[in-house]
Amino acid sequence: AHEGVDTEARNDLSCGAWEFDRGGPRRLLTDPVPPFVPNVTRGLRFSPDGRLLATADEDGVRLWDRHRGRRLAFLPTRGAVRSVLFSADGSSLYCSSGSDGQKGSITRWAIETTHTELEVGEPERLEEPDWHALKGIALTPDEQALIVTGPGKQFPQRLDLKEGGAT
């Protein structure tokens, strides 16, 4: 969680956020989804500046305005999103996705924010043919590679971002 904020992923198509440092009321982030579309939030991550909250959902990534409590963008993915993270400067958003028995993938979006606008670039897919049901991802401290976790003995693996290959 971001400093002074705690979050909760829920199964009722919402995400709760509490502002402890301000003693403010709980804010409920809601996204109207038809009841026949199941959605499970599997992970949460704040942007480095604390303005955005990314949720890893069953059908994609949602970007939220933390201060207004409203959804700013929906980024569809192939498969359930397992993990989300921002680069240290907030200019990139990564997610791992895939379900059991389904080819997993890692997606990167360029993110640009101003005081009033959010621009999200086209998705860049970084994937390996033998990766299934990816779980977690983490950037190395130099941000030159991702460490990817998943089931099986082949994990964790390092995915070099410059070459796009796993080692």
Side-chain angles (χ1 to χ4, degrees):
H2 198 270
E3 183 179 328
V5 177
D6 192 16
T7 57
E8 171 191 33
R10 298 168 31 148
N11 288 332
D12 66 353
L13 309 179
S14 63
C15 172
W18 292 262
E19 300 274 353
F20 287 116
D21 57 344
R22 297 183 188 160
R26 174 182 175 201
R27 292 186 184 188
L28 191 62
L29 309 176
T30 59
D31 189 18
V33 178
F36 55 85
V37 179
N39 188 36
V40 175
T41 298
R42 297 170 186 264
L44 311 158
R45 190 67 55 119
F46 282 101
S47 62
D49 65 5
R51 291 178 54 208
L52 300 175
L53 174 66
T55 58
D57 297 322
E58 190 72 26
D59 56 351
V61 176
R62 286 173 174 75
L63 290 173
W64 303 86
D65 180 319
R66 170 185 158 201
H67 301 291
R68 294 189 181 113
R70 66 180 172 95
R71 186 183 73 169
L72 298 176
F74 172 67
L75 310 173
T77 59
R78 293 183 296 184
V81 179
R82 303 295 185 165
S83 182
V84 291
L85 67 90
F86 286 92
S87 59
D89 65 3
S91 66
S92 294
L93 174 69
Y94 296 88
C95 82
S96 64
S97 61
S99 302
D100 292 333
Q102 178 185 40
K103 184 177 178 180
S105 68
I106 296 173
T107 306
R108 176 194 171 273
W109 292 270
I111 303 288
E112 196 172 318
T113 59
T114 66
H115 290 292
T116 59
E117 294 185 24
L118 168 70
E119 288 188 34
V120 179
E122 291 296 315
E124 175 187 355
R125 301 217 192 292
L126 313 168
E127 57 187 83
E128 294 296 319
D130 60 340
W131 290 2
H132 294 272
L134 297 176
K135 301 292 183 198
I137 53 175
L139 277 167
T140 57
D142 64 5
E143 297 195 1
Q144 298 299 305
L146 287 169
I147 305 301
V148 182
T149 63
K153 295 179 182 177
Q154 77 266 25
F155 290 104
Q157 287 198 23
R158 176 186 171 106
L159 176 67
D160 291 316
L161 296 175
K162 296 291 182 194
E163 291 94 35
T167 59

